[in-house]
Amino acid sequence: MKTYRKELWFNVQARRGFVNITRDVDECLKESGIQDGLALVSAMHITASVFINDNESGLHQDYEKWLEKLAPHQPIHQYRHNDTGEDNADAHLKRQVMGREVVVAITDGKLDFGPWEQIFYGEFDGLRRKRVLVKIIGE
Amino acid sequence: MKTYRKELWFNVQARRGFVNITRDVDECLKESGIQDGLALVSAMHITASVFINDNESGLHQDYEKWLEKLAPHQPIHQYRHNDTGEDNADAHLKRQVMGREVVVAITDGKLDFGPWEQIFYGEFDGLRRKRVLVKIIGE
Amino acid sequence: MKTYRKELWFNVQARRGFVNITRDVDECLKESGIQDGLALVSAMHITASVFINDNESGLHQDYEKWLEKLAPHQPIHQYRHNDTGEDNADAHLKRQVMGREVVVAITDGKLDFGPWEQIFYGEFDGLRRKRVLVKIIGE
C-alpha cells in the first residue's frame, strides 16, 4: 500500500467564496503515483467545506444566497458561539450543510468522476490563510 | 490490496425519488471477494445523492416534503443557475443536504451495518439514465 | 494492509446531545497500531450523526436551536414516518444535515487534524444505548 499526503493553502479575499481545487487535487494524484485507491480531500478548518458539485458561477451565487437564508451571518448576537468574541457561528453551520470532506475513487491513475464532478473549497470565514488536506491511499 | 469498481445505472421515472440500492452494493461486495476494507458508494451526477437511512416509505415522503421546503423547485427563476437554460438548480441544493457519498466498512465479507442502515440513491433531477460508482478497497 | 474495528457505545441522557468522542477514536487508533491510512467513524444508528467541528458549548447550543428550526420535533404528526408509531422523524432529518460519518486521515500514528478539529457524536433520539463504528485501514 502506498500513501500520499499534502496540504493545500488558500486565502480567500472575502468572508465567503468558492474555489475550484480539482486541478490541485489532480496534481497531488499525479505526484503520488497511485493508480488505484481512495483519495480523501478535507477542510482542516471547521468554518470551511470541501464538496463536489458544478463549476457554474450562477449555481455558486445560488449556494451563497441559500446558505445565507438557512444560516444568516447577521445579526451576530443570535448565536451563542459569538458570545466568545467570534463572529463566525454562521460559518460553522454553513459548513455542516456543505460538508467537511469528499472521498474520491482513484482508478487508472485518475480521479474517477462523472461528467460534471468538480471539487470545491467552500470558504465561510475567509480573509486569512486556511488549509485543505489531501490524503491518498492505494497502489 | 485488492480493489473493485463498478457503475450502477438508474433511470428514475419521476423528477425525484429514492431507490434502495443496498442489495446492488451487496452484490458488488460479493463479486469483489473483498473481506475487509472500505467501500465508497457515490453519485456520479451532481443532482443526485447517495445516503444511508431508513427503508420506510413515510420517511421518504417526509424527506421529499422537507427538501422541497428547504430548496423549492419552483419558481424556476429564483435561481441564477437556471439562467443557463437548466431548471434543476434546486436539485444541486437538495443533493448537498442529503450528501454525495457514503463510506461503508467491510468486515468478514459483509457491509458492516447497524440494525437499520440501508443505502439509498436519491434522485432530484430524474427521467434520464444516471450512475452510481461503487469502489471497494481491502483484502 | 492492516485493519481495525471497534464499536463505541453511548447512552445520552436526553433526546438530543453532543458528545466529544475524539479521545475514544484516538485510543482506537493507538490500539490499532496503524501509522498511516484512513479511519472511518460512523453512526450505526440512523437517528444519530458523527461530525467534526468545534468543542465549544455555545456552538452546540446554536446547532441545537438551528436544527430544531430546520426540522422541528413538534408537532409529531407533521411527519408521515411518525404514523408508524415512532416520534423520531425529525431525528432522521437532523442527521442528514449533520452527516452520518467522517473519514479522517491517519499520518505518523495520529489523527491528521487541523488546529480545532474534534469528532462528535450527535444524538437526536437518545435515552437508549446506541453505537458508533470505528474502522481503520492502513499500515
Side-chain angles (χ1 to χ4, degrees):
Chain A
M1 203 186 81
K2 290 171 78 170
T3 71
Y4 172 92
R5 180 196 191 272
K6 190 164 201 174
E7 293 179 6
L8 306 174
W9 286 85
F10 301 95
N11 193 341
V12 173
Q13 294 304 305
R15 179 173 290 273
R16 290 187 295 275
F18 299 113
V19 182
N20 190 338
I21 63 173
T22 315
R23 198 168 296 180
D24 305 80
V25 177
D26 209 38
E27 280 172 17
C28 289
L29 179 56
K30 288 199 180 91
E31 209 172 278
S32 76
I34 291 173
Q35 295 293 308
D36 209 359
L38 293 177
L40 169 70
V41 188
S42 69
M44 298 186 81
H45 297 257
I46 53 190
T47 51
S49 286
V50 170
F51 66 96
I52 287 176
N53 219 297
D54 201 358
N55 190 24
E56 199 280 301
S57 64
L59 180 65
H60 299 177
Q61 291 176 55
D62 295 331
Y63 279 135
E64 159 63 18
K65 185 178 163 188
W66 179 62
L67 290 167
E68 261 299 282
K69 192 178 151 200
L70 291 182
H73 179 60
Q74 298 278 7
I76 299 294
H77 294 299
Q78 74 188 292
Y79 300 111
R80 296 291 59 78
H81 180 58
N82 292 340
D83 295 345
T84 64
E86 298 276 4
D87 68 352
N88 63 5
D90 66 299
H92 292 272
L93 275 53
K94 288 174 169 108
R95 115 78 166 248
Q96 290 306 124
V97 177
M98 298 303 277
R100 167 186 179 257
E101 79 216 10
V102 295
V103 177
V104 180
I106 307 301
T107 306
D108 296 334
K110 287 182 186 152
L111 301 171
D112 195 339
F113 271 162
W116 301 102
E117 290 189 280
Q118 298 273 302
I119 311 174
F120 290 89
Y121 174 67
E123 178 61 85
F124 306 118
D125 186 32
L127 299 169
R128 54 197 172 104
R129 295 185 76 229
K130 292 165 81 171
R131 283 176 289 165
V132 164
L133 179 64
V134 180
K135 180 92 184 188
I136 311 175
I137 72 170
E139 299 193 323
Chain B
M1 202 185 82
K2 289 172 77 171
T3 71
Y4 171 92
R5 177 194 192 275
K6 190 164 202 173
E7 293 179 6
L8 306 174
W9 286 85
F10 301 95
N11 193 340
V12 173
Q13 294 303 304
R15 179 173 289 274
R16 291 187 294 274
F18 299 113
V19 182
N20 190 338
I21 64 172
T22 314
R23 199 168 296 181
D24 306 81
V25 176
D26 209 38
E27 280 171 19
C28 289
L29 178 56
K30 287 198 181 91
E31 208 173 277
S32 77
I34 292 172
Q35 294 293 309
D36 210 359
L38 293 176
L40 168 70
V41 188
S42 69
M44 299 186 81
H45 297 257
I46 53 188
T47 51
S49 286
V50 170
F51 66 96
I52 287 176
N53 218 297
D54 201 357
N55 190 24
E56 199 280 302
S57 64
L59 181 65
H60 298 177
Q61 291 176 57
D62 295 331
Y63 279 135
E64 159 64 18
K65 186 178 163 188
W66 180 61
L67 291 167
E68 261 299 282
K69 194 178 149 199
L70 291 181
H73 179 60
Q74 298 277 7
I76 299 295
H77 295 298
Q78 73 188 292
Y79 300 111
R80 297 290 59 78
H81 180 58
N82 292 340
D83 295 344
T84 64
E86 298 275 5
D87 67 353
N88 64 4
D90 66 300
H92 292 273
L93 275 53
K94 288 174 169 107
R95 117 75 166 249
Q96 290 305 126
V97 177
M98 298 304 277
R100 166 186 179 258
E101 80 217 8
V102 296
V103 177
V104 180
I106 306 301
T107 306
D108 296 333
K110 289 183 185 150
L111 301 171
D112 194 340
F113 271 162
W116 301 102
E117 291 189 279
Q118 297 273 303
I119 311 174
F120 290 89
Y121 174 67
E123 178 61 85
F124 306 117
D125 185 32
L127 299 167
R128 55 197 172 103
R129 295 184 77 230
K130 294 165 78 172
R131 282 176 290 166
V132 163
L133 179 65
V134 181
K135 180 92 184 188
I136 311 175
I137 72 171
E139 300 195 322
Chain C
M1 203 186 80
K2 289 172 78 171
T3 71
Y4 172 92
R5 179 195 192 273
K6 191 164 201 174
E7 293 179 5
L8 307 173
W9 287 84
F10 302 95
N11 192 340
V12 173
Q13 294 304 304
R15 179 174 290 274
R16 292 187 294 274
F18 300 113
V19 182
N20 190 337
I21 63 172
T22 315
R23 199 168 296 180
D24 306 80
V25 176
D26 209 39
E27 279 171 20
C28 290
L29 178 56
K30 287 198 180 92
E31 209 172 277
S32 77
I34 292 173
Q35 294 293 309
D36 210 0
L38 293 177
L40 168 71
V41 188
S42 69
M44 298 187 81
H45 297 257
I46 53 190
T47 51
S49 286
V50 170
F51 65 96
I52 286 176
N53 218 296
D54 201 358
N55 190 24
E56 200 279 301
S57 64
L59 181 64
H60 299 177
Q61 291 177 55
D62 295 331
Y63 279 135
E64 159 63 19
K65 186 178 163 189
W66 179 61
L67 290 168
E68 261 298 283
K69 192 177 151 199
L70 291 182
H73 179 61
Q74 298 277 6
I76 299 294
H77 294 298
Q78 74 188 292
Y79 299 112
R80 296 290 58 78
H81 180 58
N82 293 340
D83 295 345
T84 64
E86 298 276 5
D87 67 352
N88 63 5
D90 66 299
H92 292 273
L93 276 52
K94 288 174 169 108
R95 116 75 167 250
Q96 290 306 125
V97 177
M98 298 305 277
R100 167 187 179 258
E101 79 216 10
V102 296
V103 177
V104 181
I106 306 301
T107 306
D108 296 334
K110 289 183 185 151
L111 301 171
D112 195 339
F113 271 162
W116 302 101
E117 290 188 280
Q118 298 273 303
I119 311 174
F120 290 89
Y121 174 67
E123 177 61 85
F124 307 118
D125 185 31
L127 299 168
R128 54 194 173 105
R129 294 184 77 230
K130 293 165 79 172
R131 282 176 290 165
V132 163
L133 179 64
V134 180
K135 181 92 184 189
I136 311 174
I137 73 170
E139 301 194 321

